[in-house]
Amino acid sequence: MEAWDLETPGRRFGSAVVIGGSMAGLLSARVLADHFDKVTLVERDVRGEGPAARKGVPQGPHIHVLLDTGRRILDTYFPDLFEQLQVQGAEFIDSSGDLAWHHFGVWKLRHTSGIPGLLCTRPLLEWNVLRRVKARPNVAVREGCSIEGLIRDEKGTGRITGVRVKTPQGEESWETDLVVDASGRGSRMPQWLEAIGYARPEEEQVIVDLSYTTCLHEPPPHFQKEWKALFLYPSPPRAWRAGFISHVEGGRWLVTLNGYFGEHAPTEYAGFREYARSLTRPDLYNYLKEATPIGPISQHKVKDCRWRHYEKLPRFPEGLVILGDAACAFNPLYGQGMSVAGLGAELLDTCLREQAERGELSGLAQRFRERLPEVIRLPWLLGTGMDLLYPQAVGKRPFGLGLLHWYILRLMERTSTDAHVHRQFYRILHLHAGLEAVLQPSVALPVLGHGVMSLLRPLERLANTGTRPPPLTPPRPSPAPVQKSTG
């Protein structure tokens, strides 16, 4: 566990309140601990000792992907986190070499990417982060409480000066210098702003009606470890069911089935398994029918992706920051949420360091909300661009989207045979680079060439559509523990 440095530069502000104890809230509290004398994190749920699913994170029991950008940010703020997770049974894999991934009708190449992927359950990851946040002497975690509204400065300065809190003892008013809303998809910030005289933000929305249905399994005893994660994504626009198996702590498999547009997997086991049989590839079903289910089947439904454009409001109060799913909630199928929340917390850290140089908090709210779209724009474009491949998805389709979709489809098909194209796709996927990574000539020319050939030959002759790639040979050791970062 890290030691707290009372001499941390820039720690000169008073108090801050964080709404929500999920990953966005925990990372925000960790960042604020470097800048404020007192940080209070408010969470509705009362958590026990140890990792467990909870009501406030209904997506918790389901498969989660931590992109490498999110891994980097967590490693920066919690340098011993990943070493301890590995001790507890989590595993780092090579996110290409150890992954068997069928996507857009083709099997992606398996090669050593050098990009680590974390395999563990969401509750294990979140519990370990929570322990480290609680260990900060200037952070208090108030569970079983909820924020009911904002308190505005009565002098008319437009600053948020506190929050109304519902506690087990009754309603209280807390004074604070900064409020950070990290309360997730269910954020009530639009209503709270309206209640104190501000406008609601414009919302950009793509409706997908997605569901996650998940059950833990014991792997078959004869499983040969041909992969450490198996992903079967759908092939838009013809199919919209997906399935995933991931190794997690305890030597178990986490099996998740997805369906768009109301095609949700049953929550009784016979139906769950039959749904797996309906996927476009038989691989997951063939493994599943020999595995042993453990415990209940859980389901979580996601109606839409939603970006609340707080940056476009003509008036916005000082003393308020909104990040994570409270600002922009992504389609969880693409694994962007935790990493973008981390980027938001990192941006908050940067803005607070700049405010510390000025010696005041005034201007922070405006500075942060103007910059947050830089964090959101690329993952939003990638995720909604994929969703809008389906005619059933409801959302604004910008001019030129059809051309972009044609290019994406050819790019995905090319990842089956071209290691360089695959690597550049991974750079975007893990938020290491922008669209320029797949528009540079070394990628665009082979992709366009593939597109021309696709007019003349069936996909089966241009890419690997049917044979799951074998494990890399010779067998490769698992990645070493992530090196500690400073910070």
Side-chain angles (χ1 to χ4, degrees):
M1 204 68 71
E2 297 169 83
W4 168 248
D5 180 5
L6 293 175
E7 303 302 322
T8 300
R11 182 171 164 262
R12 61 183 65 184
F13 302 121
S15 65
V17 170
V18 179
I19 308 172
S22 193
M23 291 299 293
L26 292 170
L27 276 162
S28 298
R30 166 63 186 85
V31 164
L32 295 171
D34 283 350
H35 301 276
F36 286 79
D37 293 320
K38 180 182 178 182
V39 178
T40 305
L41 187 149
V42 181
E43 169 54 49
R44 287 177 179 270
D45 290 340
V46 177
R47 290 181 267 210
E49 291 299 321
R54 58 190 181 89
K55 182 179 179 181
V57 185
Q59 71 272 31
H62 307 281
I63 193 167
H64 278 72
V65 173
L66 180 65
L67 303 180
D68 191 51
T69 289
R71 192 267 324 153
R72 173 189 62 78
I73 292 169
L74 283 169
D75 189 44
T76 297
Y77 291 112
F78 306 102
D80 70 334
L81 172 65
F82 293 117
E83 290 179 354
Q84 291 302 310
L85 281 169
Q86 286 174 302
V87 170
Q88 296 166 28
E91 185 176 4
F92 271 105
I93 65 170
D94 184 276
S95 59
S96 173
D98 295 317
L99 170 64
W101 186 359
H102 196 264
H103 195 198
F104 282 85
V106 302
W107 287 104
K108 293 191 183 300
L109 278 175
R110 294 177 69 175
H111 58 86
T112 303
S113 70
I115 298 176
L118 176 68
L119 299 186
C120 70
T121 60
R122 163 72 179 260
L124 182 67
L125 174 61
E126 187 176 292
W127 178 67
N128 274 275
V129 173
L130 173 65
R131 288 175 56 222
R132 285 156 178 77
V133 171
K134 281 184 171 181
R136 298 266 160 182
N138 60 335
V139 175
V141 177
R142 293 288 303 272
E143 296 182 338
C145 301
S146 63
I147 303 298
E148 299 299 313
L150 305 174
I151 300 172
R152 189 174 58 171
D153 180 16
E154 295 180 355
K155 298 179 181 178
T157 64
R159 171 176 287 278
I160 301 302
T161 58
V163 288
R164 293 186 291 106
V165 190
K166 185 177 181 181
T167 73
Q169 292 75 38
E171 188 164 299
E172 303 174 4
S173 295
W174 296 353
E175 291 185 0
T176 189
D177 298 294
L178 179 67
V179 175
V180 176
D181 181 10
S183 58
R185 286 178 178 266
S187 169
R188 292 183 287 166
M189 190 56 67
Q191 298 94 309
W192 293 343
L193 287 175
E194 194 173 44
I196 59 173
Y198 291 88
R200 286 172 174 252
E202 171 189 328
E203 291 192 4
E204 192 173 350
Q205 184 184 41
V206 176
I207 299 175
V208 292
D209 192 10
L210 176 73
S211 73
Y212 270 57
T213 310
T214 296
C215 184
L216 283 164
H217 287 70
E218 290 283 356
H222 57 273
F223 176 61
Q224 298 298 309
K225 300 184 179 179
E226 301 97 41
W227 41 260
K228 294 182 179 178
L230 172 68
F231 290 178
L232 301 182
Y233 271 73
S235 302
R238 302 180 303 277
W240 45 85
R241 292 183 176 188
F244 310 90
I245 302 178
S246 172
H247 284 254
V248 293
E249 66 274 11
R252 302 168 296 172
W253 280 354
L254 190 65
V255 182
T256 293
L257 303 177
N258 292 99
Y260 280 100
F261 315 120
E263 292 197 5
H264 304 158
T267 54
E268 46 82 26
Y269 193 70
F272 181 86
R273 195 164 65 175
E274 282 305 304
Y275 191 96
R277 190 204 289 264
S278 75
L279 300 179
T280 53
R281 290 287 312 170
D283 304 73
L284 186 145
Y285 172 74
N286 289 338
Y287 286 110
L288 191 61
K289 66 185 181 181
E290 298 186 13
T292 304
I294 309 169
I297 296 175
S298 57
Q299 189 170 79
H300 173 54
K301 297 179 181 179
V302 178
K303 177 186 176 184
D304 60 9
C305 328
R306 185 190 307 118
W307 186 356
R308 289 173 169 161
H309 288 280
Y310 289 102
E311 78 281 0
K312 295 183 179 181
L313 288 176
R315 296 173 55 247
F316 193 81
E318 279 289 351
L320 176 63
V321 162
I322 306 163
L323 51 72
D325 283 1
C328 185
F330 297 90
N331 181 340
L333 189 65
Y334 308 118
Q336 300 165 316
M338 289 192 292
S339 296
V340 177
L343 287 168
E346 191 175 53
L347 173 63
L348 178 59
D349 195 358
T350 299
C351 290
L352 283 167
R353 292 179 189 278
E354 293 169 356
Q355 296 295 142
E357 292 179 0
R358 299 172 57 187
E360 61 176 1
L361 279 175
S362 296
L364 171 67
Q366 183 70 13
R367 179 175 297 194
F368 181 85
R369 75 181 179 116
E370 287 177 351
R371 291 190 192 177
L372 187 62
E374 299 170 13
V375 167
I376 294 173
R377 193 169 289 114
L378 176 62
W380 176 261
L381 173 64
L382 295 175
T384 58
M386 295 288 193
D387 291 335
L388 291 170
L389 278 162
Y390 293 104
Q392 303 96 317
V394 179
K396 182 179 178 181
R397 288 172 163 82
F399 177 77
L401 184 63
L403 181 61
L404 176 62
H405 281 164
W406 182 89
Y407 189 83
I408 288 173
L409 285 167
R410 305 292 83 79
L411 175 74
M412 294 299 118
E413 291 168 0
R414 188 72 183 183
T415 61
S416 178
T417 58
D418 190 320
H420 176 67
V421 170
H422 192 191
R423 287 189 176 94
Q424 296 306 308
F425 164 68
Y426 259 50
R427 292 184 65 211
I428 291 184
L429 177 68
H430 288 274
L431 306 179
H432 290 171
L435 287 176
E436 70 280 357
V438 295
L439 296 177
Q440 59 182 293
S442 65
V443 174
L445 291 177
V447 169
L448 294 173
H450 174 92
V452 171
M453 293 304 297
S454 68
L455 300 174
L456 306 173
R457 298 180 182 177
L459 182 59
E460 293 80 3
R461 295 181 60 188
L462 297 175
N464 176 15
T465 60
T467 304
R468 187 176 69 251
L472 298 183
T473 53
R476 200 181 34 75
S478 297
V482 178
Q483 291 183 346
K484 292 185 178 180
S485 303
T486 57

